[in-house]
Amino acid sequence: MSVLYSGSTLKINLKAIADNYFILKAKAGGREIAAVVKANAYGLGVEKVAPVLKEAGCKLFFVANLDEALELREILPSSDIAVLNGVIKGQGKFFAENNIIPVLNSMEQIDLWSKTFNQKPSMIHVDSGMNRLGIPIDEYEKVINSGKLEKLNVKLILSHLACADEKKNTKNVEQLNIVRKVAELTPNFKISFANSSGIFLGKDYHFDIVRPGIALYGGNPIPNSLNPMKNVVEITANILQIRNIDSEETVGYGATYILDKGSKIATLPIGYADGYFRVFGNRSYCAINGKKVPVVGRVSMDLITIDITSIKDEINIGDEVEILGANVKLDELVELAETIDYEVLTSLGSRYRRIYTN
């Protein structure tokens, strides 16, 4: 859908994404950075984001499934693209024909790939404690001892941290010890272990290649600490209506907020269909000219209302209101919604007028 006349705007700073790439590369001691661009580059537009990361020096990109990989192949004809979910029956030829690398997550996927495409590049995911995808370390040893590993063209062994955003969690060290064992069993293979937060756990977690996702897009890889990444996303909305309240009134569905006499409210064209969560009603805020104003009443599908009584400057219909940006931080919205920054970004809808800046 082409969006030309929306009253809400999503601004994406591509230079900030490139800057974040270099911040992470420095933090990883110069290790290779493989960018995770699944879910449409975390909702920000893979067709715009991926070329910027390639220009910054990224050679390897991870996506979730084959559809995402085929889309990305159209954008990046020569880059290495790997599919985290691996390959299932009937898909192998599409991987091979488009030079897409499967991450083999099970004995079944290893056998499937080995039968026909064993000379094509692949990766193997060893589960170090997530218990989601990947083969356990004992099965990995069986793969080695059976000779199956020698028959594959394995480019990378990867594993995934379960609690990297909790630096003191003992699970991190437990997983690290398993990955170290993987490195001992197959010392000639490159290893990728650290995600965004994992990069900040220290050099022991870096190995050969790190795989940041959310941090590239401005998400905080070290929760409850100052965000070291540059802000990438700004959301604004233009005022649709301003109303002066002459007597005590309620606002919005369910009449959940009572407005005092003399209040002034503004209605904005953004709602839960745009990824502005319903939970923000009566608890979040926006900003006008750098000053925060509360969201009052429930969030509707297409609209929210804000109390602008405290703003003494002249405010008019059509004026721009900050929803997310310099004064309303992503971390703050994450805390208010009791969620994670991944969910906030990937929930952004398709109705914004998108502006990409450098």
Side-chain angles (χ1 to χ4, degrees), residues 29-187:
R31 301 289 196 294
E32 181 180 346
I33 301 284
V36 181
V37 294
K38 61 184 179 179
N40 194 28
Y42 288 53
L44 302 187
V46 70
E47 75 285 354
K48 298 288 188 180
V49 170
V52 169
L53 289 168
K54 181 180 184 296
E55 181 67 23
C58 187
K59 298 178 181 178
L60 172 60
F61 296 81
F62 282 92
V63 295
N65 56 48
L66 180 57
D67 285 321
E68 290 183 347
L70 293 173
E71 178 186 7
L72 185 57
R73 176 55 74 215
E74 292 292 320
I75 300 165
L76 301 177
S78 59
S79 297
D80 289 334
I81 300 170
V83 173
L84 291 164
N85 289 358
V87 60
I88 61 176
K89 189 174 182 180
Q91 291 184 349
K93 65 177 182 178
F94 300 108
F95 277 83
E97 290 171 359
N98 292 280
N99 294 317
I100 294 167
I101 305 169
V103 176
L104 305 177
N105 292 295
S106 65
M107 297 300 291
E108 291 79 10
Q109 289 189 355
I110 289 173
D111 289 340
L112 177 65
W113 193 253
S114 297
K115 288 178 181 178
T116 310
F117 306 105
N118 61 305
Q119 294 306 307
K120 290 286 187 178
S122 62
M123 299 177 182
I124 293 181
H125 182 174
V126 177
D127 179 24
S128 57
M130 176 73 85
N131 288 305
R132 191 178 59 174
L133 287 177
I135 60 174
I137 184 66
D138 57 336
E139 287 192 11
Y140 183 61
E141 292 186 66
K142 291 178 182 178
V143 171
I144 296 170
N145 295 333
S146 68
K148 290 182 179 180
L149 195 62
E150 297 175 359
K151 297 177 182 178
L152 291 168
N153 182 12
V154 177
K155 295 298 184 182
L156 187 69
I157 307 294
L158 61 89
S159 194
H160 195 59
L161 284 154
C163 304
D165 57 344
E166 302 171 19
K167 190 169 185 177
K168 295 182 179 179
N169 196 308
T170 57
K171 184 77 171 181
N172 294 323
V173 176
E174 292 173 12
Q175 290 190 262
L176 176 60
N177 289 333
I178 291 174
V179 175
R180 281 172 169 164
K181 185 175 181 180
V182 171
E184 291 173 2
L185 290 169
T186 45

Side-chain angles (χ1 to χ4, degrees), residues 23 30 53 113 155 164 190 193 201 212 216 218 223 240 262 271 276 298 300 308 310-312 343:
I23 290 171
L53 289 168
W113 193 253
K155 295 298 184 182
K190 289 184 176 182
F193 185 34
L201 291 177
L216 289 168
L240 284 176
Y276 195 78
R298 286 182 180 169
S300 305
I308 60 173
S310 63
I311 303 297
K312 303 307 178 184
E343 184 176 14

Side-chain angles (χ1 to χ4, degrees), residues 136-307:
I137 184 66
D138 57 336
E139 287 192 11
Y140 183 61
E141 292 186 66
K142 291 178 182 178
V143 171
I144 296 170
N145 295 333
S146 68
K148 290 182 179 180
L149 195 62
E150 297 175 359
K151 297 177 182 178
L152 291 168
N153 182 12
V154 177
K155 295 298 184 182
L156 187 69
I157 307 294
L158 61 89
S159 194
H160 195 59
L161 284 154
C163 304
D165 57 344
E166 302 171 19
K167 190 169 185 177
K168 295 182 179 179
N169 196 308
T170 57
K171 184 77 171 181
N172 294 323
V173 176
E174 292 173 12
Q175 290 190 262
L176 176 60
N177 289 333
I178 291 174
V179 175
R180 281 172 169 164
K181 185 175 181 180
V182 171
E184 291 173 2
L185 290 169
T186 45
N188 295 325
F189 289 141
K190 289 184 176 182
I191 290 178
S192 177
F193 185 34
N195 53 12
S196 290
S197 294
I199 293 172
F200 289 81
L201 291 177
K203 62 182 181 180
D204 287 346
Y205 292 81
H206 295 163
F207 291 90
D208 301 291
I209 299 175
V210 296
R211 308 188 310 276
I214 191 66
L216 289 168
Y217 312 110
N220 191 350
I222 43 175
N224 304 315
S225 298
L226 185 65
N227 190 350
M229 313 313 300
K230 290 193 174 182
N231 184 54
V232 171
V233 175
E234 178 183 345
I235 298 175
T236 59
N238 299 102
I239 295 174
L240 284 176
Q241 186 181 78
I242 296 172
R243 180 170 296 187
N244 294 300
I245 306 301
D246 297 326
S247 60
E248 189 176 276
E249 292 281 359
T250 62
V251 60
Y253 284 121
T256 61
Y257 189 87
I258 299 174
L259 296 161
D260 294 331
K261 179 181 178 180
S263 297
K264 181 185 288 188
I265 59 171
T267 302
L268 307 178
I270 187 172
Y272 56 75
D274 306 295
Y276 195 78
F277 300 146
R278 197 166 181 265
V279 71
F280 289 145
N282 295 322
R283 65 188 306 184
S284 189
Y285 45 84
C286 301
I288 297 177
N289 299 329
K291 185 172 182 179
K292 291 180 177 178
V293 292
V295 176
V296 293
R298 286 182 180 169
V299 174
S300 305
M301 181 183 292
D302 315 302
L303 303 168
I304 62 172
T305 46
I306 57 175
D307 187 338

